[in-house]
Every structure is written in structure tokens, then in C-alpha cells.
Amino acid sequence: QKVCFADFKHPCYKMAYFHELSSRVSFQEARLACESEGGVLLSLENEAEQKLIESMLQNLTKPGTGISDGDFWIGLWRNGDGQTSGACPDLYQWSDGSSSQYRNWYTDEPSCGSEKCVVMYHQPTANPGLGGPYLYQWNDDRCNMKHNYICKYEPEINPTAPAEKPYLTNQPGDTHQNVVVTEAGIIPNLIYVVIPTIPLLLLILVAFGTCCFQMLHKSKGRTKTSPNQSTLWISKSSRKESGMEV
């Protein structure tokens, strides 16, 4: 799912979950998928952002959704070969260039060695380990392993919508879709109301014009007289008035 916030301050995120294991992707494939849509593979700035992502992922574990286990690639990785020394955790960096030093490793992680790319655990049905349930903590894994992934985008500018309101763009099972939901302002809403009434207004205008034309035509017909009628009441012979002599 792609999730945006109407205050246009928070980044947008997309939870790309694939129920079919064969549809999941490697670290590099996930990175390219995010970049092809104008985003980046998730980087986390602080604990608050980590908790925000956790709250979004909790929707995937609600009863009846049919969605359960499946770790998510995030944008943290290590560029190097086979480091197993104590300095290994310091070699991880964000693929989008973020300088964030925030980390949320599971107990005994990272294991380093050939595992260079990082996932966020999402295994709600797994038995808890030494670090508790395998949910939301980080683990390094081989970069060619197949997982889900989380993308991060610049904020969507939507100043007409109420602040702090998230928009879920599609249902949990439809993770291949990526449609941004926004709210229209007052003017676009008026347009949606006015446009459908235009044909009716034109029909009324034509009918009114036709009636006016017919009334005007009839009025002219009544006032016009013919040449034969112009002398109808004039006598052709002069009438002598009785009782009057010149």
C-alpha cells in the first residue's frame, strides 16, 4: 500500500507485500522498483519514524486478512566483503544517502559475513527468540534473498485536506497498485456539480428563446394591416350634413 499524509510534512510510504513467495524480490530489485516510481528504499531517521512504520505494518497482521509472515527490505546495507570484526555494524549505510545513525537491530544482529543487506522482521507466527517476537526489528540477510519491501517518497502536497490524516490507496491484498489518493478543494467540487447541469441549462435557454420568438412573431401579425383594409371605414361619397348650409 502507498500511504500519504495530508499535512504534506510527512513522507509517503509504500508497503509492497507479496503473498506469493515467488513474487518477492531481492534487495537490488526492491531498490530499483522504488526508484522507478520516484522513491527510494526505506531509510529511517529516528524511533518515531520506526514506530510509524510499525503501525502501518500492523494492518497486515489483522485477523482475516490472510497476510502473515514476510520480512521487508529496508534501504540499509553494507558495501564490503566478509567483515566479522566489531567494526562491522558501523559499516552499514543507507542506500538513499541518508546520514541517519538510528538502528533497531534484533539481538545478536548484525551477523555480518556474507549478509550485507537489511530487512525489517515481519514474522508474527514465528515463536519468539532471545530478542522477543520477530516483529519490526532489523536483521542483515544475503542480498539475493527474496523479500517484500518498503518504499519512501517525498511528501504529497495537499494543503486543502485536514492535517495528520493518512490515506491508504488500496486494499492490503492489492499491493501491486500504486494510486495516490488526494482531496479536492472547493472549486473542483463546484465544477463537478455545475458541469452535469450544463445540458439542462442549454435546453431551458433554447426553449425560452423559442417561446419568445413565437410570441414576438404573433404580435407583429396582429398589428399589421393590408392595403385593402386601410380605407375600410372611409366613405367614398361625401355626406351632406342636415341642417347646415354654406
Side-chain angles (χ1 to χ4, degrees), residues 2 32-40 151-154 178:
K2 187 174 183 182
L32 292 175
C34 293
E35 292 176 354
S36 68
E37 298 174 347
V40 294
C151 297
K152 185 176 182 178
Y153 306 85
E154 292 295 322
N178 182 19

Side-chain angles (χ1 to χ4, degrees), residues 17-228:
Y17 177 89
F18 302 94
H19 188 68
E20 296 294 333
L21 299 179
S22 59
S23 299
R24 297 177 183 178
V25 298
S26 67
F27 179 86
Q28 185 64 15
E29 289 171 331
R31 182 177 177 180
L32 292 175
C34 293
E35 292 176 354
S36 68
E37 298 174 347
V40 294
L41 205 52
L42 176 67
S43 60
L44 291 152
E45 297 295 326
N46 47 47
E47 185 177 3
E49 190 171 21
Q50 167 75 26
K51 295 300 182 183
L52 179 62
I53 297 298
E54 291 180 15
S55 67
M56 295 178 185
L57 291 177
Q58 286 172 2
N59 292 325
L60 300 180
T61 58
K62 287 183 178 179
T65 61
I67 301 175
S68 56
D69 292 357
D71 298 337
F72 288 82
W73 288 120
I74 61 176
L76 194 64
W77 72 300
R78 173 172 51 87
N79 186 13
D81 295 323
Q83 290 95 343
T84 57
S85 66
C88 173
D90 298 329
L91 300 176
Y92 283 87
Q93 57 187 345
W94 297 104
S95 60
D96 66 351
S98 170
S99 60
S100 170
Q101 298 300 310
Y102 176 73
R103 302 291 186 267
N104 188 39
W105 296 112
Y106 191 80
T107 301
D108 297 332
E109 299 294 345
S111 54
C112 297
S114 61
E115 298 178 342
K116 303 177 184 179
C117 299
V118 178
V119 295
M120 182 181 291
Y121 273 138
H122 189 266
Q123 301 178 22
T125 65
N127 293 325
L130 295 176
Y134 294 95
L135 277 175
Y136 316 130
Q137 303 94 339
W138 305 355
N139 168 54
D140 57 340
D141 201 354
R142 295 193 302 276
C143 297
N144 61 352
M145 296 297 290
K146 304 295 185 179
H147 295 295
N148 306 303
Y149 60 91
I150 304 174
C151 297
K152 185 176 182 178
Y153 306 85
E154 292 295 322
E156 294 285 346
I157 299 177
N158 186 21
T160 61
E164 301 295 338
K165 182 180 179 182
Y167 295 91
L168 303 183
T169 64
N170 50 286
Q171 298 300 318
D174 299 330
T175 54
H176 60 284
Q177 297 181 0
N178 182 19
V179 180
V180 179
V181 175
T182 59
E183 287 189 2
I186 295 176
I187 293 177
N189 287 334
L190 289 176
I191 291 175
Y192 294 142
V193 174
V194 172
I195 288 178
T197 64
I198 289 178
L200 179 60
L201 293 175
L202 290 175
L203 181 61
I204 294 173
L205 184 61
V206 171
F208 180 75
T210 302
C211 291
C212 290
F213 177 79
Q214 291 178 350
M215 292 176 63
L216 183 62
H217 182 71
K218 290 180 179 180
S219 176
K220 288 183 178 180
R222 287 195 299 268
T223 58
K224 184 176 181 181
T225 58
S226 64
N228 295 330

